Amino acid sequence: MPGNPNEIKLVNNAMSNATRRKIMNFLSVGDKSTEEIGGEIGKTMLDFHLKLLQQASLIEIEEGTVRLSEYGKNFLKEKEEKDADKTADISQAKPIEITEVRQLLPCIADSSKFRVIANIAPPLGGTLKVLEPLFPRGKYSGKINALIIQKGEIITTVYGTGKVTMTMIKNEDEAKESLKNLKNTINEAIAKGVAPAPREKVRIEPMELYKYLPQTNCGKCGEQSCYTFAIKLMGGEVTLDKCASLKEPSYITNFEHLQVLSAYI
């Protein structure tokens, strides 16, 4: 069983990638063939991911069959217990209200859509972090103390100060409906007094990343195409800042979407 610093480093490296975590969770229900694993998580770099998990002693591979090692089983069990302990008490939080919708401005990326700025009260402050699991594509950012939520094309950012911004809104009615749903989801959790336990992130495919890339195949990032860039982004071989076009004002919304999506890689 891994125990020395080098072995622990191998385990941490193996489990730092979302695809490899998905493989481990897939194997938790029983042994699988490499073909079954490829069908579940995709065949891109599958051999590489399996090799890293095997080197970390988390899995065993024999004649095309992959299974969790005893250490791998214990590792997942300990993780589940730790996740259960992370269930947060939010009984002291107060229900929120949408107090003001201040601005409805044209989006930079799409002039037919709008950017909304609103306020909620009371401000949620640090409670935002434990509310992250409420939203399938929600990501808390400690750097800006904000919860960033993606639903379709709409990205909603709820700040600890009470400020709320939304992009790619069709009209004022959609803005009001989205804000109402946001309020109801948060208030239901507050009424229960306990936020849900951390959940497994949603699965992201290369094509979904490609959808928000410039699709110009300019090659400035050093890759043959934007789709190749998306595949390497999935594998952690490149970062968003390598795409120069995403820094242009016309791609600001695309960049925001990709930031949310890349949180689940």
Side-chain angles (χ1 to χ4, degrees), residues 176-197:
K176 290 180 179 178
E177 184 66 20
S178 296
L179 287 167
K180 179 182 176 181
N181 291 338
L182 175 70
K183 181 189 77 170
N184 290 343
T185 299
I186 292 175
N187 283 346
E188 284 174 11
I190 290 175
K192 292 177 181 177
V194 179

Side-chain angles (χ1 to χ4, degrees), residues 195-243:
R199 61 356 187 193
E200 183 69 18
K201 301 299 184 181
V202 295
R203 179 176 175 177
I204 302 298
E205 299 288 351
M207 185 55 72
E208 191 167 5
L209 296 172
Y210 176 73
K211 175 182 175 181
Y212 294 105
L213 288 171
Q215 301 180 26
T216 56
N217 302 326
C218 67
K220 293 179 181 178
C221 62
E223 305 301 332
Q224 293 182 347
S225 67
C226 289
Y227 189 69
T228 302
F229 183 86
I231 291 174
K232 292 199 172 182
L233 190 62
M234 279 286 298
E237 299 177 67
V238 297
T239 54
L240 286 175
D241 61 355
K242 294 295 183 181
C243 179

Side-chain angles (χ1 to χ4, degrees), residues 18-264:
T19 298
R20 294 193 284 275
R21 293 196 296 272
K22 290 172 187 173
I23 292 173
M24 291 290 289
N25 289 330
F26 188 48
L27 291 172
S28 67
V29 298
D31 300 354
K32 303 291 181 182
S33 68
T34 53
E35 288 78 9
E36 288 175 311
I37 297 173
E40 177 69 16
I41 59 96
K43 297 181 179 180
T44 303
M45 300 178 68
L46 177 59
D47 289 343
F48 172 74
H49 292 310
L50 291 177
K51 182 179 179 180
L52 286 185
L53 289 170
Q54 187 177 34
Q55 288 177 340
S57 300
L58 291 165
I59 64 171
E60 297 171 349
I61 305 175
E62 185 177 355
E63 297 181 352
T65 298
V66 186
R67 64 177 63 88
L68 291 176
S69 66
E70 284 302 314
Y71 175 69
K73 293 176 183 177
N74 291 333
F75 180 89
L76 286 183
K77 183 179 180 181
E78 290 176 5
K79 181 178 180 299
E80 289 174 358
E81 291 173 351
K82 288 179 180 178
D83 285 347
D85 291 340
K86 289 180 182 177
T87 302
D89 181 359
I90 55 172
S91 58
Q92 300 306 308
K94 297 181 179 179
I96 62 168
E97 291 292 339
I98 307 299
T99 59
E100 183 182 17
V101 180
R102 298 204 309 273
Q103 293 179 320
L104 198 68
L105 303 172
C107 276
I108 296 174
D110 185 345
S111 59
S112 69
K113 303 288 180 67
F114 295 92
R115 183 179 182 89
V116 176
I117 299 176
N119 266 14
I120 61 172
L124 289 165
T127 304
L128 285 172
K129 184 174 182 178
V130 297
L131 293 177
E132 178 189 279
L134 291 173
F135 305 94
R137 285 188 174 170
K139 180 67 177 178
Y140 175 76
S141 169
K143 185 176 181 181
I144 59 173
N145 186 23
L147 179 59
I148 305 167
I149 306 159
Q150 181 191 30
K151 186 175 182 180
E153 287 192 324
I154 300 173
I155 290 182
T156 302
T157 305
V158 185
Y159 294 89
T161 59
K163 177 181 176 182
V164 180
T165 65
M166 294 188 293
T167 61
M168 301 298 284
I169 293 291
K170 294 178 183 177
N171 49 49
E172 188 172 356
D173 287 341
E174 184 176 58
K176 290 180 179 178
E177 184 66 20
S178 296
L179 287 167
K180 179 182 176 181
N181 291 338
L182 175 70
K183 181 189 77 170
N184 290 343
T185 299
I186 292 175
N187 283 346
E188 284 174 11
I190 290 175
K192 292 177 181 177
V194 179
R199 61 356 187 193
E200 183 69 18
K201 301 299 184 181
V202 295
R203 179 176 175 177
I204 302 298
E205 299 288 351
M207 185 55 72
E208 191 167 5
L209 296 172
Y210 176 73
K211 175 182 175 181
Y212 294 105
L213 288 171
Q215 301 180 26
T216 56
N217 302 326
C218 67
K220 293 179 181 178
C221 62
E223 305 301 332
Q224 293 182 347
S225 67
C226 289
Y227 189 69
T228 302
F229 183 86
I231 291 174
K232 292 199 172 182
L233 190 62
M234 279 286 298
E237 299 177 67
V238 297
T239 54
L240 286 175
D241 61 355
K242 294 295 183 181
C243 179
S245 296
L246 288 175
K247 299 174 184 178
E248 298 173 8
S250 59
Y251 287 109
I252 186 170
T253 300
N254 296 56
F255 183 67
E256 289 178 349
H257 277 280
L258 286 165
Q259 281 185 307
V260 175
L261 291 173
S262 62
Y264 303 115

